[in-house]
Amino acid sequence: VTVRHTNPVTGEETFDLILVDGSWVLDGETLFGQLGPAEQQALDAAPAMYEAMRGVAQRVRAGEFSSVQEASQALLAVIMNAANQGGGLQPPG
């Protein structure tokens, strides 16, 4: 089954749905085949970002931060660093 959706930014998009164990789910092959450059950059950066977030979670569990704000700042810093090393989250312009 093909679903058509009009994205106000990118225009019409289509997605294939497949039946898996009695439920309709998005077919990842058709979904990821339609990625634009920004989405592809974010997808490429995902593994590095995941590892960076795991590292901050371990630091939180170890009691390294004295406040939520401090932990949030550390999380943001490692996510941005990991994303930029992975080629994702480039500033607009």
Side-chain angles (χ1 to χ4, degrees):
V1 172
T2 299
V3 176
R4 295 194 189 288
H5 163 72
T6 301
N7 181 316
V9 176
T10 62
E12 184 176 280
E13 300 171 338
T14 59
F15 305 97
D16 288 340
L17 298 178
I18 55 176
L19 191 60
V20 177
D21 296 329
S23 297
W24 289 100
V25 296
L26 283 172
D27 177 18
E29 286 186 28
T30 59
L31 178 64
F32 294 127
Q34 298 180 31
L35 294 180
E39 293 89 358
Q40 186 62 51
Q41 286 178 340
L43 185 62
D44 291 344
M49 290 173 56
Y50 172 76
E51 288 303 320
M53 289 185 281
R54 283 186 52 174
V56 172
Q58 291 169 346
R59 293 168 60 194
V60 167
R61 283 191 293 275
E64 184 175 322
F65 304 108
S66 61
S67 68
V68 171
Q69 291 81 10
E70 192 177 312
S72 295
Q73 289 173 345
L75 180 61
L76 180 59
V78 299
I79 287 172
M80 292 305 294
N81 185 48
N84 287 327
Q85 287 180 2
L89 296 182
Q90 299 299 317

